[in-house]
Coordinates of all heavy atoms in Angstrom, one line a residue:
M1 N 75.4 190.9 98.0 CA 76.8 191.3 97.9 C 77.3 190.8 96.5 O 77.0 189.7 96.1 CB 77.6 190.6 99.0 CG 79.1 190.9 98.9 SD 80.1 190.0 100.1 CE 79.8 191.0 101.6
S2 N 78.0 191.7 95.8 CA 78.4 191.3 94.5 C 79.6 190.4 94.6 O 80.3 190.3 95.6 CB 78.9 192.6 93.7 OG 80.1 193.1 94.3
T3 N 79.9 189.7 93.5 CA 81.1 188.8 93.5 C 82.4 189.6 93.8 O 83.2 189.2 94.5 CB 81.2 188.1 92.1 OG1 80.0 187.5 91.8 CG2 82.3 187.1 92.1
F4 N 82.5 190.8 93.2 CA 83.7 191.6 93.4 C 83.8 191.9 94.9 O 84.9 191.8 95.5 CB 83.6 192.9 92.6 CG 84.7 193.9 92.9 CD1 86.0 193.6 92.4 CD2 84.6 194.9 93.8 CE1 87.1 194.5 92.7 CE2 85.6 195.8 94.1 CZ 86.9 195.5 93.6
S5 N 82.7 192.4 95.5 CA 82.8 192.7 97.0 C 83.2 191.5 97.8 O 83.9 191.6 98.7 CB 81.4 193.2 97.5 OG 81.1 194.4 96.8
A6 N 82.6 190.3 97.4 CA 82.9 189.1 98.2 C 84.4 188.8 98.0 O 85.1 188.4 99.0 CB 82.1 188.0 97.7
R7 N 84.9 188.9 96.8 CA 86.3 188.6 96.6 C 87.2 189.6 97.3 O 88.2 189.2 97.8 CB 86.6 188.6 95.1 CG 86.1 187.3 94.4 CD 86.7 187.2 93.0 NE 86.0 186.2 92.3 CZ 85.7 186.2 91.0 NH1 85.9 187.2 90.3 NH2 85.1 185.1 90.5
H8 N 86.8 190.9 97.2 CA 87.6 191.9 97.8 C 87.7 191.7 99.3 O 88.8 191.8 99.9 CB 87.1 193.3 97.5 CG 87.8 194.4 98.0 ND1 89.1 194.8 97.6 CD2 87.6 195.2 99.1 CE1 89.5 195.8 98.3 NE2 88.6 196.1 99.2
G9 N 86.6 191.4 99.9 CA 86.6 191.1 101.3 C 87.4 189.9 101.7 O 88.1 189.9 102.7
Q10 N 87.4 188.9 100.8 CA 88.1 187.7 101.1 C 89.6 188.0 101.0 O 90.4 187.5 101.8 CB 87.8 186.6 100.1 CG 88.3 185.2 100.3 CD 87.8 184.2 99.3 OE1 87.6 184.5 98.2 NE2 87.5 183.0 99.8
Q11 N 90.0 188.8 100.0 CA 91.4 189.2 99.9 C 91.9 190.0 101.1 O 93.0 189.9 101.6 CB 91.7 190.0 98.6 CG 91.6 189.1 97.4 CD 91.6 189.9 96.1 OE1 91.5 191.1 96.1 NE2 91.9 189.2 95.0
A12 N 91.0 190.9 101.5 CA 91.4 191.8 102.7 C 91.6 190.9 103.9 O 92.4 191.2 104.7 CB 90.3 192.8 102.9
A13 N 90.8 189.9 104.1 CA 90.9 189.0 105.2 C 92.2 188.2 105.2 O 92.7 187.8 106.2 CB 89.7 188.1 105.3
M14 N 92.7 188.0 104.0 CA 93.9 187.2 103.8 C 95.2 188.0 104.0 O 96.3 187.5 104.2 CB 93.9 186.7 102.4 CG 94.4 185.2 102.3 SD 94.3 184.7 100.6 CE 96.0 184.7 100.2
I15 N 95.1 189.3 103.9 CA 96.3 190.2 104.1 C 96.9 189.9 105.5 O 96.2 189.9 106.5 CB 96.0 191.7 103.9 CG1 95.6 191.9 102.4 CG2 97.2 192.6 104.3 CD1 95.1 193.3 102.1
G16 N 98.3 189.8 105.5 CA 98.9 189.6 106.8 C 98.9 188.2 107.3 O 99.1 188.0 108.5
T17 N 98.8 187.3 106.4 CA 98.8 185.9 106.7 C 100.0 185.2 106.0 O 100.5 185.7 105.1 CB 97.5 185.1 106.3 OG1 97.4 185.1 104.9 CG2 96.3 185.8 106.9
R18 N 100.3 184.0 106.5 CA 101.3 183.2 105.8 C 100.9 182.9 104.4 O 101.8 182.9 103.5 CB 101.5 181.9 106.6 CG 102.6 181.0 106.0 CD 102.9 179.8 106.8 NE 104.2 179.2 106.4 CZ 105.4 179.6 106.8 NH1 105.5 180.5 107.7 NH2 106.5 179.0 106.3
E19 N 99.6 182.7 104.2 CA 99.1 182.4 102.8 C 99.4 183.6 101.9 O 99.8 183.5 100.7 CB 97.7 182.0 102.8 CG 97.4 180.7 103.5 CD 97.4 180.7 105.0 OE1 97.3 181.8 105.6 OE2 97.5 179.6 105.6
S20 N 99.1 184.8 102.4 CA 99.3 186.0 101.6 C 100.8 186.2 101.3 O 101.2 186.6 100.2 CB 98.6 187.2 102.2 OG 99.3 187.6 103.4
A21 N 101.6 186.0 102.3 CA 103.0 186.1 102.1 C 103.6 185.1 101.1 O 104.4 185.4 100.2 CB 103.8 185.9 103.4
T22 N 103.1 183.9 101.1 CA 103.5 182.9 100.2 C 103.0 183.2 98.8 O 103.8 183.1 97.8 CB 102.9 181.5 100.6 OG1 103.3 181.1 101.9 CG2 103.2 180.4 99.6
A23 N 101.8 183.7 98.6 CA 101.3 184.1 97.3 C 102.1 185.3 96.8 O 102.5 185.3 95.6 CB 99.8 184.6 97.4
F24 N 102.5 186.2 97.6 CA 103.3 187.3 97.2 C 104.7 186.9 96.7 O 105.2 187.3 95.6 CB 103.5 188.4 98.3 CG 104.5 189.5 97.9 CD1 104.1 190.5 97.1 CD2 105.8 189.4 98.3 CE1 105.0 191.5 96.7 CE2 106.7 190.3 98.0 CZ 106.4 191.4 97.2
V25 N 105.3 186.0 97.5 CA 106.6 185.5 97.1 C 106.6 184.7 95.8 O 107.4 184.9 94.9 CB 107.2 184.6 98.2 CG1 108.5 183.9 97.8 CG2 107.5 185.4 99.5
I26 N 105.6 183.9 95.6 CA 105.5 183.1 94.3 C 105.3 184.1 93.2 O 106.0 184.0 92.2 CB 104.3 182.1 94.4 CG1 104.7 181.0 95.4 CG2 104.0 181.6 93.0 CD1 103.5 180.1 95.7
H27 N 104.5 185.1 93.3 CA 104.3 186.1 92.3 C 105.6 186.8 92.0 O 105.9 187.0 90.8 CB 103.2 187.0 92.7 CG 103.0 188.1 91.6 ND1 102.4 187.9 90.4 CD2 103.4 189.4 91.7 CE1 102.5 189.1 89.7 NE2 103.1 190.0 90.5
A28 N 106.3 187.2 93.0 CA 107.5 188.0 92.8 C 108.6 187.2 92.1 O 109.2 187.7 91.2 CB 108.1 188.5 94.2
V29 N 108.8 185.9 92.5 CA 109.8 185.2 91.8 C 109.5 184.8 90.4 O 110.4 184.6 89.6 CB 110.3 184.0 92.6 CG1 110.8 184.4 94.0 CG2 109.2 182.9 92.8
E30 N 108.2 184.6 90.1 CA 107.8 184.2 88.8 C 107.5 185.4 87.9 O 107.4 185.2 86.6 CB 106.6 183.3 88.8 CG 106.9 182.0 89.5 CD 105.7 181.0 89.4 OE1 104.6 181.4 89.3 OE2 106.0 179.8 89.5
S31 N 107.3 186.6 88.4 CA 106.9 187.8 87.6 C 107.9 188.2 86.5 O 107.5 188.8 85.5 CB 106.6 188.9 88.5 OG 107.7 189.4 89.2
T32 N 109.2 187.9 86.7 CA 110.1 188.4 85.7 C 110.2 187.4 84.6 O 110.7 187.7 83.5 CB 111.6 188.5 86.3 OG1 112.0 187.2 86.7 CG2 111.6 189.4 87.5
G33 N 109.7 186.2 84.8 CA 109.8 185.1 83.7 C 111.1 184.4 83.7 O 111.3 183.5 82.9
A34 N 112.0 184.8 84.5 CA 113.4 184.2 84.5 C 113.4 183.0 85.4 O 114.4 182.2 85.3 CB 114.4 185.2 85.0
A35 N 112.5 182.8 86.3 CA 112.5 181.7 87.2 C 111.0 181.2 87.5 O 110.1 182.0 87.3 CB 113.2 182.1 88.5
T36 N 110.9 180.1 88.1 CA 109.6 179.6 88.6 C 109.8 179.3 90.1 O 110.9 179.2 90.6 CB 109.2 178.3 87.9 OG1 110.0 177.2 88.3 CG2 109.2 178.5 86.4
R37 N 108.6 179.0 90.7 CA 108.6 178.7 92.1 C 109.5 177.4 92.4 O 110.0 177.3 93.5 CB 107.2 178.5 92.6 CG 106.5 177.3 92.1 CD 105.1 177.2 92.5 NE 104.3 178.1 91.6 CZ 103.0 178.4 91.8 NH1 102.4 177.9 92.8 NH2 102.4 179.2 90.9
A38 N 109.6 176.6 91.4 CA 110.5 175.4 91.6 C 111.9 175.7 91.8 O 112.7 174.9 92.3 CB 110.3 174.4 90.5
D39 N 112.3 176.9 91.4 CA 113.7 177.3 91.5 C 114.1 177.8 92.9 O 115.3 178.1 93.1 CB 114.1 178.4 90.4 CG 113.9 177.9 89.0 OD1 114.3 176.7 88.7 OD2 113.3 178.6 88.2
F40 N 113.1 178.0 93.7 CA 113.3 178.6 95.0 C 112.6 177.7 96.1 O 111.6 177.1 95.9 CB 112.7 180.0 95.1 CG 113.4 181.0 94.2 CD1 113.0 181.2 92.9 CD2 114.4 181.8 94.7 CE1 113.6 182.1 92.1 CE2 115.0 182.8 94.0 CZ 114.6 182.9 92.6
D41 N 113.2 177.8 97.3 CA 112.5 177.2 98.5 C 111.6 178.3 99.0 O 112.0 179.1 99.8 CB 113.6 176.8 99.5 CG 112.9 176.2 100.7 OD1 111.7 176.3 101.0 OD2 113.7 175.5 101.5
I42 N 110.4 178.3 98.5 CA 109.4 179.4 98.8 C 109.1 179.4 100.3 O 109.1 180.5 100.9 CB 108.1 179.2 98.0 CG1 108.3 179.2 96.5 CG2 107.0 180.2 98.5 CD1 108.8 180.5 96.0
D43 N 108.9 178.3 100.9 CA 108.6 178.3 102.4 C 109.8 178.9 103.2 O 109.5 179.6 104.1 CB 108.4 176.9 102.8 CG 107.9 176.8 104.3 OD1 106.9 177.5 104.6 OD2 108.5 176.1 105.1
R44 N 111.0 178.6 102.8 CA 112.1 179.2 103.5 C 112.2 180.7 103.3 O 112.5 181.5 104.2 CB 113.4 178.6 103.0 CG 114.6 178.9 103.9 CD 115.7 177.9 103.6 NE 116.9 178.7 103.5 CZ 117.9 178.5 102.7 NH1 117.9 177.5 101.8 NH2 119.0 179.3 102.6
I45 N 111.9 181.2 102.1 CA 111.8 182.7 101.8 C 110.8 183.3 102.8 O 111.1 184.3 103.4 CB 111.5 183.0 100.4 CG1 112.6 182.5 99.4 CG2 111.3 184.5 100.2 CD1 112.3 182.6 98.0
V46 N 109.6 182.7 102.8 CA 108.5 183.3 103.6 C 108.9 183.2 105.1 O 108.8 184.2 105.8 CB 107.2 182.5 103.4 CG1 106.1 182.9 104.4 CG2 106.7 182.7 102.0
S47 N 109.5 182.1 105.6 CA 109.9 182.0 107.0 C 111.0 183.0 107.3 O 110.9 183.6 108.4 CB 110.3 180.6 107.3 OG 109.2 179.7 107.1
T48 N 112.0 183.1 106.5 CA 113.1 184.0 106.7 C 112.6 185.5 106.8 O 113.0 186.2 107.7 CB 114.2 183.8 105.7 OG1 114.6 182.5 105.7 CG2 115.4 184.8 106.0
A49 N 111.8 185.8 105.8 CA 111.2 187.2 105.7 C 110.4 187.5 107.0 O 110.5 188.6 107.6 CB 110.4 187.4 104.5
H50 N 109.6 186.5 107.4 CA 108.8 186.7 108.6 C 109.6 186.9 109.8 O 109.4 187.7 110.7 CB 107.8 185.5 108.8 CG 107.0 185.6 110.0 ND1 106.0 186.5 110.2 CD2 107.0 184.8 111.1 CE1 105.5 186.3 111.4 NE2 106.1 185.3 112.0
A51 N 110.6 186.0 110.0 CA 111.5 186.1 111.1 C 112.3 187.5 111.2 O 112.4 188.1 112.2 CB 112.5 185.0 111.1
L52 N 112.6 188.0 110.0 CA 113.4 189.2 109.9 C 112.5 190.4 110.2 O 112.9 191.3 111.0 CB 113.9 189.4 108.5 CG 114.8 190.7 108.3 CD1 116.0 190.6 109.1 CD2 115.1 190.8 106.8
S53 N 111.2 190.4 109.8 CA 110.4 191.6 109.9 C 109.3 191.4 111.1 O 108.7 192.4 111.4 CB 109.6 191.9 108.6 OG 108.7 190.8 108.3
D54 N 109.2 190.2 111.6 CA 108.2 189.9 112.6 C 106.8 190.2 112.1 O 105.9 190.7 112.8 CB 108.5 190.6 113.9 CG 107.7 190.0 115.1 OD1 107.4 188.7 115.0 OD2 107.4 190.7 116.0
D55 N 106.6 190.0 110.8 CA 105.3 190.4 110.1 C 105.1 189.5 108.9 O 106.1 189.1 108.3 CB 105.3 191.8 109.7 CG 103.9 192.4 109.4 OD1 103.0 191.6 109.2 OD2 103.8 193.6 109.2
W56 N 103.9 189.2 108.6 CA 103.6 188.4 107.3 C 103.6 189.3 106.1 O 103.5 188.8 105.0 CB 102.4 187.6 107.5 CG 102.4 186.5 108.4 CD1 101.7 186.4 109.6 CD2 103.3 185.3 108.4 NE1 102.1 185.2 110.3 CE2 103.1 184.6 109.6 CE3 104.3 184.9 107.5 CZ2 103.7 183.4 109.8 CZ3 104.9 183.7 107.8 CH2 104.7 183.0 108.9
D57 N 103.6 190.6 106.3 CA 103.6 191.5 105.2 C 104.9 191.6 104.5 O 105.7 192.5 104.6 CB 103.1 192.9 105.6 CG 102.9 193.8 104.5 OD1 102.9 193.4 103.3 OD2 102.6 195.0 104.7
V58 N 105.3 190.6 103.7 CA 106.5 190.5 103.0 C 106.7 191.6 102.0 O 107.8 192.1 101.8 CB 106.7 189.1 102.3 CG1 108.0 189.0 101.5 CG2 106.5 188.0 103.3
E59 N 105.6 192.1 101.5 CA 105.6 193.2 100.6 C 106.2 194.5 101.2 O 106.7 195.3 100.5 CB 104.2 193.5 100.1 CG 104.1 193.9 98.7 CD 102.7 193.9 98.2 OE1 101.8 193.2 98.7 OE2 102.4 194.7 97.3
A60 N 106.2 194.6 102.5 CA 106.7 195.8 103.1 C 108.2 195.8 103.2 O 108.8 196.9 103.5 CB 106.1 195.9 104.5
L61 N 108.9 194.7 103.0 CA 110.3 194.7 103.0 C 110.9 195.5 101.8 O 110.3 195.6 100.8 CB 110.8 193.2 102.8 CG 110.6 192.2 103.9 CD1 111.0 190.8 103.5 CD2 111.4 192.7 105.2
Q62 N 112.0 196.0 102.0 CA 112.7 196.7 101.0 C 113.0 195.7 99.9 O 113.4 194.6 100.2 CB 114.0 197.4 101.5 CG 113.8 198.5 102.4 CD 113.2 199.7 101.7 OE1 113.5 200.0 100.6 NE2 112.3 200.4 102.4
P63 N 112.9 196.1 98.6 CA 113.2 195.1 97.5 C 114.5 194.5 97.6 O 114.7 193.3 97.4 CB 113.0 196.0 96.3 CG 112.1 197.0 96.7 CD 112.4 197.3 98.1
D64 N 115.6 195.2 98.0 CA 116.9 194.7 98.1 C 117.0 193.6 99.1 O 117.6 192.5 99.0 CB 117.9 195.7 98.4 CG 118.2 196.7 97.3 OD1 117.8 196.4 96.1 OD2 118.9 197.7 97.5
T65 N 116.3 193.8 100.2 CA 116.2 192.8 101.3 C 115.5 191.6 100.9 O 116.0 190.5 101.1 CB 115.5 193.4 102.6 OG1 116.2 194.6 103.0 CG2 115.5 192.4 103.7
F66 N 114.4 191.8 100.2 CA 113.6 190.6 99.7 C 114.5 189.8 98.8 O 114.5 188.5 98.9 CB 112.3 191.1 99.0 CG 111.6 189.9 98.3 CD1 110.8 189.1 99.1 CD2 111.8 189.7 97.0 CE1 110.2 188.0 98.5 CE2 111.2 188.6 96.4 CZ 110.3 187.8 97.1
W67 N 115.1 190.4 97.8 CA 115.9 189.6 96.8 C 117.2 189.0 97.4 O 117.6 188.0 97.0 CB 116.2 190.5 95.6 CG 114.9 190.7 94.8 CD1 114.2 191.8 94.7 CD2 114.1 189.7 94.2 NE1 113.1 191.6 93.9 CE2 113.0 190.3 93.6 CE3 114.3 188.3 94.0 CZ2 112.0 189.6 92.9 CZ3 113.4 187.6 93.2 CH2 112.2 188.3 92.7
R68 N 117.7 189.6 98.5 CA 118.8 189.0 99.2 C 118.4 187.7 99.8 O 119.1 186.7 99.8 CB 119.5 189.9 100.2 CG 120.6 190.8 99.6 CD 121.4 191.5 100.7 NE 120.6 192.3 101.5 CZ 120.4 193.6 101.3 NH1 121.0 194.2 100.3 NH2 119.7 194.4 102.1
I69 N 117.2 187.8 100.5 CA 116.7 186.6 101.1 C 116.4 185.5 100.0 O 116.8 184.3 100.1 CB 115.4 186.9 101.8 CG1 115.6 187.8 103.0 CG2 114.6 185.6 102.3 CD1 114.4 188.3 103.7
A70 N 115.7 185.9 98.9 CA 115.4 184.9 97.8 C 116.7 184.3 97.3 O 116.7 183.1 97.0 CB 114.6 185.7 96.8
A71 N 117.7 185.1 97.1 CA 119.0 184.6 96.5 C 119.6 183.5 97.4 O 120.3 182.6 96.9 CB 120.0 185.7 96.3
T72 N 119.4 183.6 98.7 CA 119.9 182.5 99.6 C 119.0 181.3 99.6 O 119.4 180.3 100.3 CB 120.1 183.1 101.0 OG1 118.8 183.3 101.6 CG2 121.0 184.3 101.0
C73 N 117.9 181.3 99.0 CA 116.9 180.2 99.0 C 116.7 179.6 97.6 O 115.7 179.0 97.4 CB 115.6 180.7 99.6 SG 115.7 181.4 101.2
L74 N 117.7 179.7 96.8 CA 117.6 179.0 95.5 C 117.7 177.5 95.7 O 118.5 177.0 96.6 CB 118.8 179.4 94.6 CG 118.6 180.8 94.0 CD1 119.9 181.3 93.4 CD2 117.5 180.9 92.9
T75 N 117.0 176.7 95.0 CA 117.1 175.2 95.1 C 118.2 174.7 94.3 O 118.5 175.3 93.2 CB 115.8 174.6 94.8 OG1 115.4 174.9 93.5 CG2 114.7 174.9 95.7
P76 N 118.9 173.7 94.7 CA 120.0 173.2 94.0 C 119.6 172.5 92.7 O 118.5 172.1 92.5 CB 120.7 172.2 94.9 CG 119.8 172.0 96.1 CD 118.8 173.0 96.0

C-alpha cells in the first residue's frame, strides 16, 4: 500500500468524528488569517454544531449557520 493510500484511508476513517469536526473548525477559523484558534472556544463550536445537526459533519452546515455559532464562541 502506498503512503498516499494509507493516508487517504486514514482520513476516510476519520470523517464523521469529533476529531474531524475539530480539525475542520480550526481550519475554518484560521483560514482567513484574521483569527487563530485561541480566539475561539473550539470545543464549544464543535459541541454546539454537533448538537444542532446531530452529526459530526460540521462541514455540512450552511456557512451562515457555522459562522453564527462561531461568533457566539469567541473567547474574551
Side-chain angles (χ1 to χ4, degrees):
M1 177 182 284
S2 72
T3 303
F4 175 77
S5 296
R7 284 190 189 144
H8 181 70
Q10 190 174 36
Q11 287 173 345
M14 224 177 103
I15 293 172
T17 65
R18 183 175 193 84
E19 291 79 17
S20 65
T22 301
F24 173 80
V25 170
I26 290 169
H27 175 74
V29 300
E30 292 186 337
S31 67
T32 66
T36 69
R37 68 186 81 189
D39 298 316
F40 293 88
D41 183 342
I42 300 297
D43 188 54
R44 194 165 131 216
I45 296 171
V46 172
S47 296
T48 303
H50 175 66
L52 182 67
S53 66
D54 197 29
D55 194 349
W56 291 116
D57 187 8
V58 177
E59 216 170 330
L61 290 173
Q62 291 293 321
D64 288 349
T65 302
F66 173 80
W67 289 111
R68 270 194 299 270
I69 293 168
T72 66
C73 298
L74 288 165
T75 56

